[in-house]
Amino acid sequence: LIVHVDSPGGTVAGGESLHRALTRLSAVKPVVAVMDGLATSAGYMVAIGASRVVAQRSTITGSIGVILQSADVTGLLDRIGVNMEAIKSSPLKGVPSPFEPLTEEGREATKRLVEDMYDMFVEMVVDRRQLPREKVLALADGRVFTGRQAFESGLIDGIGGEREARLWLRSEHDIDDSLPLRDVDPRDPTAALLERLASSAVKALLSERLSLDGMISVWHPEY
């Protein structure tokens, strides 16, 4: 299976789901992830579920990290005469919220949440890339890498695209590189697994990509 990844990321849960699916699949058949123009954050998380990861030299990848964004609009609401009220079972319910200032207790609880998700991401990289945790932590500071830099750092296995993926499949798994490729339509009822993968990807990259109130692992310069 050759999986093309061209994504800035998405929700952490969406990336984890795709990562686990590809990891399970790569245990029974060879899977190559081909990074196209962009494979960052949860996009990178997905790619490393494959048996082998290749990228173009100019591919943008990395951005290993997690972000949760909110806003405090209470000052604006005060200026326009809007008062918000919330009846909550406990002080941390609904935190963070744009309708109330973030307390130190809320900030600490939210920080622990992000750090736990981040630690999960780091462990995925350690496990799938077989790198020391200390090295991964040095690379997992949110920065992005070119494909060439990622290869030099051990975050991917090689430089190239679909051709290089097929050459690897031939040399390592005796799969004839003249074998015709078939693009799988996720609407094909015989491709139930890939349908679930595609559905999760669409949800992560489109609808949930636009939301700033969830736990996301995404890279975009404007952020």
Side-chain angles (χ1 to χ4, degrees), residues 1-3 21-33 49-52 128 168-169 172-173 175 179 182 184 190-191 193-194 197:
L1 177 66
I2 297 176
V3 180
L22 288 183
T23 299
R24 289 195 302 268
L25 191 57
S26 66
V28 296
K29 69 165 57 181
V31 179
V32 184
S51 316
R52 185 172 178 83
R128 297 300 295 175
W168 179 80
L169 289 169
E172 297 296 323
H173 296 278
I175 297 174
L179 192 69
R182 180 169 69 93
V184 177
T190 64
L193 172 61
L194 292 179
L197 294 180

Side-chain angles (χ1 to χ4, degrees), residues 2-6 32-36 52 54-56 160-162 165:
I2 297 176
V3 180
H4 284 266
V5 180
D6 193 359
V32 184
V34 176
M35 294 180 172
D36 294 323
R52 185 172 178 83
V54 299
Q56 303 294 339
E162 193 170 280

